[in-house]
Amino acid sequence: MSWEDTFRSWGAAPGSTEQQKMENAETAIRKAVAAHDRLSKLDISIILQGSYQSRTNVRNDSDVDICVCLNSTFFDRYPAEKGRAHYGNSDGTVDFGDFRFWVHTALGDHFGYENVEPGNKAFDIRANTYRIDADVLPAFAYRFYHGHEYNDYIQPTGIAFDTVDGTERIINWPHQTYENGKTKQGNTSHRYKKMVRIVKRLRNTLQEEGSSEAKDIGSFLIESMVWNASDSSFNHSNYTDDMRSVLAYCFNETLETGSYANLYEVNKLKKLFGSHQPWTRTQAHAFFSKAWDRVGFK
């Protein structure tokens, strides 16, 4: 089979059976939260995240990422020399540790505690024949204030959570990520998500072959690098030329002389490279270089 045929196969979305298992997992998590005595009375949003939400997931390499987000109590950030009182905010009434405990209880009561694995960030819900694996992340809403009025914060709000080990507060922007990915998909005649899936499948292939360059290469790093490629990188007459253009962009921009320092995640709010990320420019460049060679591009 030619690379063109392989790319077309790799670019396809998961089949209807796998998609249904994802939806089953989402539905079950919503029911678990709704059935919990404390959580059911709070202002909570169930927010889809990751490749399931963006539809960039690949066959046999999918799970459901769902955030259980409390809106009434939020983490915050203010301009210099301003604080909560300036915006009429006061201390929240729910402790994050308590909220995480309630989410754990809701999941355990619904799925059975033996099927819920607590992690440093999220709870892993084990798969069965009816649903796929799911990661459930407890979080508070996150307000980034940038002006002088009470409502001068980035909207929609982000989400934020503290790791269990207490070493980090992580901030994400799932709503912006979804909308910007959707826009990119439209701007590229629906080639953007296909190219993301192809690169993910290429990473998986390299991992199966024992390639060290493909180890610990996150899906969101791939998604964001492909998103940063110009719209003109897509919509060639075939998938092979699209992939050549996308990989060349990712290779060049992650060179030491590239513009990697100015790249953003899909949300356009967080820098793609820096000390806050679990990956480095060097790791990314080594992977894209290996991917280019594996395909045999010259």
Side-chain angles (χ1 to χ4, degrees), residues 18 51 62 117 124 143 146 171 189 207 222 232 292 294:
E18 188 168 0
S51 59
S62 304
E117 182 68 29
D124 176 51
R143 293 188 182 183
H146 52 79
I171 300 160
S189 299
Q207 288 177 342
I222 291 173
S232 61
W292 177 274
R294 179 63 177 81

Side-chain angles (χ1 to χ4, degrees), residues 97-282:
D98 290 339
F99 181 67
R100 179 183 172 86
F101 174 76
W102 297 338
V103 173
H104 189 189
T105 303
L107 298 176
D109 289 346
H110 187 86
F111 294 101
Y113 285 90
E114 70 278 7
N115 296 312
V116 180
E117 182 68 29
N120 194 36
K121 299 177 183 178
F123 297 101
D124 176 51
I125 310 299
R126 295 190 179 94
N128 60 19
T129 57
Y130 181 71
R131 63 177 188 273
I132 67 169
D133 278 324
D135 288 330
V136 181
L137 176 70
F140 284 175
Y142 178 73
R143 293 188 182 183
F144 189 127
Y145 285 85
H146 52 79
H148 301 285
E149 302 300 324
Y150 74 95
N151 61 348
D152 285 344
Y153 55 85
I154 295 174
Q155 300 186 47
T157 57
I159 64 166
F161 62 94
D162 292 333
T163 55
V164 173
D165 62 15
T167 61
E168 191 174 8
R169 174 166 293 172
I170 298 175
I171 300 160
N172 289 319
W173 302 92
H175 301 293
Q176 288 82 353
T177 296
Y178 174 74
E179 290 299 329
N180 292 340
K182 182 179 177 181
T183 298
K184 187 74 170 185
Q185 181 76 337
N187 291 345
T188 58
S189 299
H190 299 270
R191 285 282 184 93
Y192 160 61
K193 294 182 181 182
K194 294 180 186 297
M195 293 302 114
V196 172
R197 295 190 198 105
I198 292 169
V199 179
K200 287 184 180 181
R201 288 292 294 269
L202 184 53
R203 174 204 58 191
N204 293 351
T205 297
L206 288 169
Q207 288 177 342
E208 292 166 3
E209 295 172 351
S211 171
S212 60
E213 291 87 351
K215 184 181 179 181
D216 298 327
I217 296 299
S219 291
F220 193 53
L221 168 62
I222 291 173
E223 187 171 333
S224 293
M225 282 299 304
V226 176
W227 177 81
N228 275 281
S230 67
D231 294 347
S232 61
S233 297
F234 305 82
N235 300 324
H236 293 88
S237 60
N238 55 68
Y239 284 25
T240 303
D241 286 343
D242 275 12
M243 186 51 39
R244 183 191 304 275
S245 183
V246 167
L247 286 181
Y249 170 86
C250 295
F251 175 92
N252 290 329
E253 296 310 307
T254 54
L255 284 166
E256 191 171 359
T257 55
S259 62
Y260 64 92
N262 297 319
L263 300 182
Y264 282 84
E265 295 179 354
V266 181
N267 51 58
K268 293 199 290 189
L269 291 168
K270 288 176 67 177
K271 286 289 185 72
L272 185 54
F273 294 98
S275 59
H276 60 289
Q277 297 288 17
W279 52 71
T280 66
R281 189 277 309 174
T282 304

